[in-house]
Amino acid sequence: MKVAAPQTMLFLDLETTGLFPQDPGAAILEIGMLAVEVPTFREVAAWSTPVARPYKEGDPLTGCDDYVRTMHTDSGLAAELPGGMPRKEAELAAVEFYNAH
């Protein structure tokens, strides 16, 4: 009996300033990707990065409503944003992860 080679499934997660991309202040704050083997869902690889963006001095969560601001502050993402990867660089790194898996 021939066993098929494992396949990989990728999951993409974005953390954003809110749920309305048409909002002029809307921005991606973090990109995360997970590669798993199918059908076992064993993790093959994971990658994530906070994404730097222009913001008012001292407020990396500019444009977030109170609910989103609290969520990203409590999770620690807000503290990571000032050292985040520039957006274009983050996009290229996400594509590299995708191509590798």
Side-chain angles (χ1 to χ4, degrees):
M1 177 176 178
K2 192 173 190 177
V3 177
Q7 294 182 342
T8 303
M9 181 182 291
L10 293 176
F11 293 89
L12 170 69
D13 179 49
L14 298 177
E15 295 299 332
T16 66
T17 55
L19 299 176
F20 304 102
Q22 68 275 18
D23 180 346
I28 293 172
L29 302 175
E30 183 178 39
I31 302 172
M33 297 179 80
L34 176 69
V36 299
E37 192 176 88
V38 176
T40 65
F41 285 88
R42 180 185 65 81
E43 182 178 318
V44 175
W47 171 84
S48 70
T49 187
V51 179
R53 63 189 275 261
Y55 58 86
K56 293 178 186 172
E57 189 172 323
D59 186 11
L61 295 175
T62 298
C64 293
D65 64 29
D66 290 340
Y67 179 83
V68 174
R69 178 179 296 279
T70 299
M71 179 177 61
H72 293 323
T73 299
D74 291 351
S75 73
L77 177 58
E80 296 176 11
L81 291 173
M85 189 180 283
R87 194 186 92 205
K88 291 292 183 187
E89 192 177 317
E91 291 171 0
L92 290 173
V95 169
E96 287 177 19
F97 182 89
Y98 173 86
N99 288 335
H101 301 286

